Amino acid sequence: MSGHPDPGTWLLERIDAREQTLTNQAEQTRAQVNELTALLRHLDQDIEHLKITRKTMLALAEEPDPAPASALPDHPAYQQILTILTDTGQPMRARDLCLALDLPLVRKNVENTRAKLKRLVSLGILTETEPGLFTQPRP
């Protein structure tokens, strides 16, 4: 023989190589299809959640507003603070309220009272006319 490969063997090797290449491409394509299918499933789920959210928001928008609950916190100290502010009719500081509440003038009591006053301001029940000076809003 003259050193040339057998044409039958050469063709079989080419077919094997081509088959392996196509098998690899098919596996990669299947993996991509699986990734895209998972992505599509995720997108469909997100779309469905948005539809539900829209439906819920529209239903809530059509409902009448519930009766406003009392905004005053439950702790009795809040009612005591409001009573003192109403009785005096004057803006007060946390320190003055501690005295009016018969609390010892210690830092803890003043800070706790100030925190309660700030909470009443955040709820719109009181106003802070200047830093540290609290009063009931004027009608």
Side-chain angles (χ1 to χ4, degrees):
M1 296 204 87
S2 63
H4 291 291
D6 175 27
T9 304
W10 180 80
L11 282 173
L12 287 175
E13 287 174 358
R14 297 278 316 246
I15 289 172
D16 287 345
R18 180 75 176 137
E19 182 181 5
Q20 186 60 47
T21 300
L22 292 174
T23 299
N24 290 341
Q25 287 178 350
E27 288 174 6
Q28 290 174 354
T29 303
R30 276 190 200 90
Q32 289 173 339
V33 166
N34 288 338
E35 288 175 23
L36 290 173
T37 300
L39 177 60
L40 183 59
R41 193 172 24 249
H42 179 72
L43 291 171
D44 284 340
Q45 185 179 31
D46 285 351
I47 291 168
E48 189 60 30
H49 289 165
L50 287 172
K51 287 179 180 179
I52 291 168
T53 300
R54 177 185 294 112
K55 183 177 178 180
T56 302
M57 289 180 70
L58 289 172
L60 288 173
E62 292 175 3
E63 290 181 5
D65 287 338
S70 172
L72 186 64
D74 287 337
H75 196 279
Y78 291 98
Q79 187 58 55
Q80 292 170 338
I81 289 169
L82 291 177
T83 300
I84 291 169
L85 284 168
T86 301
D87 289 348
T88 63
Q90 298 294 318
M92 296 182 78
R93 298 191 179 281
R95 178 181 171 88
D96 301 327
L97 276 161
C98 284
L99 290 172
L101 292 166
D102 292 325
L103 294 173
L105 279 181
V106 294
R107 183 182 178 125
K108 179 179 123 182
N109 290 342
V110 174
E111 292 301 321
N112 285 341
T113 302
R114 184 176 291 110
K116 286 177 178 59
L117 289 164
K118 294 278 189 183
R119 180 156 185 220
L120 291 171
V121 168
S122 72
L123 294 171
I125 297 171
L126 294 180
T127 58
E128 190 172 6
T129 56
E130 62 181 60
L133 194 61
F134 300 89
T135 187
Q136 292 178 317
R138 304 261 185 242

